[in-house]
Amino acid sequence: MSVIIVGAGVIGLLSALNLSRYMDEVVLIERDETGREASWAGGGIVSPLYPWRYTAEVTALAHWSQDFYPAFGKTLLELTGLDPQVHTTGLYWLDLEDEAQALEWAKAAERPLFSVPIDHVYRSVPPLGPGFERALYMEDVANVRNPRLVKALRAALQTKSNVRIVERCAIKEVLCKQGCIQGVKTEQETFYSGQVVITAGAWSGELLETLGLKLPVEPVKGQMILYKCNEDFLPSIVMAKGRYAIPRKDGHILVGSTLEHAGFDKTPTAEALKSLKASAIELLPALANAEVVKHWAGLRPGSPKGVPFIGPVPGFKGLWLNCGHYRNGLVLAPASCQLLTDLMTGQRPIIDPAPYLPETRL
């Protein structure tokens, strides 16, 4: 049995890794380089930015994945020698307007989020800017070094003799005959299989259009900037007014991000750079004297309420989706890919698949 997976971000890479245990052949096809789109561009926080603002469907996937990541990072390091750097720092939310709602959610969901005195925050996060009055804290929030995560996933796939990775190969159409999937036609060659999984992020909708399907997944541009500081400069993730600062183990600080509906344009803009710098300095004034190491943009796969599409497509035997994760692709990836694997292999699903199935949402 074989499967073709279209799109090699974290969702495609991890789907391929999971399915390689059950398939005779897995072909992973990427239009550019593996892991170089949204998976590379994101911040890598292993939590939705504001988990209480999402639906129960997103929360269910996030909880499963958050518990999975620490051991998974160690497994990838042992297998490949590449460390995804799952870095547990905790996260402070500052001056939230919906603080009461957040605390109610935490109590109902049994998650370790609680109110902390602001003087405690200033002692714990010395570089934090002045003027903040209230804070919530979740101590078990981690961030993953997402560029290293996708490199480790690719290296893990390269240890599998039944996995083929095809890069710089754009799909022209998904082949279907009398309602049955036949494979995909690319600019270079045609690949044949009775099972095709679409994990193409913001480009998933375009691919399904070749079959006459309308998938409500669209690109949402996000811009970020990167600073380099001392390794102990920022001990925790901090968020305020919709912007965040994320510490990496080596002292790099990511600040993001914008939300822009600009089609497939990934060009960084001077306006966004100015706005992100202002947010960075408000959160961490010492960054006013730090150099911006890098400024970039990526395209998130926006979807209704941020709920991904996971499962078979009705009317097209052998066509599967695992896409539309919006801002939460990294945090939702382990659960999403395990759920897809369960559905494709007939195992008991890790969670109820009904809310994610395309048959009820297309």
Side-chain angles (χ1 to χ4, degrees):
M1 185 180 294
S2 68
V3 63
I4 296 169
I5 299 174
V6 181
V10 66
I11 300 293
L13 289 162
L14 189 50
S15 294
L17 188 61
N18 286 355
L19 289 169
S20 69
R21 298 196 293 268
Y22 305 96
M23 301 289 176
D24 298 320
E25 182 184 32
V26 177
V27 180
L28 179 61
I29 304 176
E30 167 57 42
R31 60 190 291 275
D32 195 353
E33 296 179 41
T34 57
R36 292 294 298 180
E37 293 291 351
S39 298
W40 181 91
I45 300 176
V46 186
S47 170
L49 294 182
Y50 300 95
W52 56 90
R53 297 179 187 175
Y54 285 94
T55 64
E57 293 86 353
V58 172
T59 297
L61 293 170
H63 285 183
W64 195 93
S65 295
Q66 285 169 314
D67 295 337
F68 178 86
Y69 255 113
F72 183 52
K74 292 178 182 178
T75 298
L76 285 175
L77 174 59
E78 292 171 359
L79 179 64
T80 68
L82 298 172
D83 187 1
Q85 293 189 0
V86 180
H87 184 30
T88 301
T89 63
L91 195 163
Y92 288 99
W93 289 270
L94 305 169
D95 292 351
L96 285 168
E97 294 180 357
D98 56 352
E99 183 174 306
Q101 180 185 343
L103 291 170
E104 289 173 7
W105 169 85
K107 184 178 180 180
E110 299 181 340
R111 303 305 287 183
L113 181 148
F114 47 86
S115 177
V116 293
I118 197 65
D119 58 344
H120 169 82
V121 182
Y122 278 104
R123 287 195 301 271
S124 301
V125 188
L128 186 64
F132 295 107
E133 298 177 351
R134 305 183 318 280
L136 297 184
Y137 180 62
M138 186 179 285
E139 61 185 353
D140 63 349
V141 175
N143 71 83
V144 61
R145 196 78 174 258
N146 37 306
R148 298 189 182 191
L149 173 65
V150 292
K151 285 183 179 179
L153 286 168
R154 189 185 194 282
L157 287 174
Q158 289 178 312
T159 69
K160 306 289 185 179
S161 61
N162 61 332
V163 175
R164 178 184 176 191
I165 300 173
V166 183
E167 296 180 288
R168 297 180 183 84
C169 187
I171 304 293
K172 298 187 74 68
E173 66 176 304
V174 180
L175 302 176
C176 183
K177 184 177 181 180
Q178 297 179 343
C180 295
I181 293 299
Q182 307 290 306
V184 297
K185 183 178 181 181
T186 76
E187 293 177 345
Q188 283 89 349
E189 62 181 292
T190 299
F191 297 85
Y192 295 99
S193 174
Q195 295 199 90
V196 171
V197 182
I198 304 298
T199 61
W203 288 265
S204 297
E206 285 193 339
L207 286 172
L208 289 184
E209 284 181 1
T210 67
L211 295 170
L213 290 170
K214 293 291 184 182
L215 179 70
V217 172
E218 62 176 354
V220 182
K221 183 177 180 179
Q223 299 188 51
M224 300 183 68
I225 55 177
L226 181 71
Y227 294 91
K228 181 66 171 71
C229 302
N230 294 329
E231 291 182 17
D232 59 352
F233 172 71
L234 182 63
S236 300
I237 304 168
V238 290
M239 286 196 65
K241 299 179 181 179
R243 295 280 169 84
Y244 52 77
I246 306 169
R248 300 303 200 205
K249 285 186 174 181
D250 62 2
H252 280 100
I253 307 294
L254 284 79
V255 175
S257 65
T258 64
L259 281 172
E260 307 166 58
H261 293 270
F264 288 93
D265 176 21
K266 293 193 300 178
T267 307
T269 65
E271 181 182 8
L273 179 60
K274 182 179 178 181
S275 174
L276 290 167
K277 280 184 174 180
S279 295
I281 293 167
E282 183 177 9
L283 272 172
L284 306 165
L287 293 182
N289 300 316
E291 179 186 358
V292 175
V293 177
K294 193 173 182 64
H295 170 211
W296 69 91
L299 300 177
R300 311 174 185 91
S303 60
K305 297 183 180 180
V307 178
F309 294 85
I310 307 171
V313 178
F316 295 87
K317 184 180 179 182
L319 181 63
W320 301 79
L321 301 183
N322 192 4
C323 57
H325 294 75
Y326 192 31
R327 305 186 77 173
N328 297 309
L330 284 161
V331 64
L332 303 186
S336 297
C337 297
Q338 186 58 54
L339 179 58
L340 175 76
T341 302
D342 292 343
L343 294 172
M344 291 187 71
T345 58
Q347 300 180 79
R348 182 179 180 180
I350 54 167
I351 58 175
D352 180 9
Y356 316 99
L357 294 176
E359 67 183 34
T360 61
R361 303 176 62 204
L362 291 180

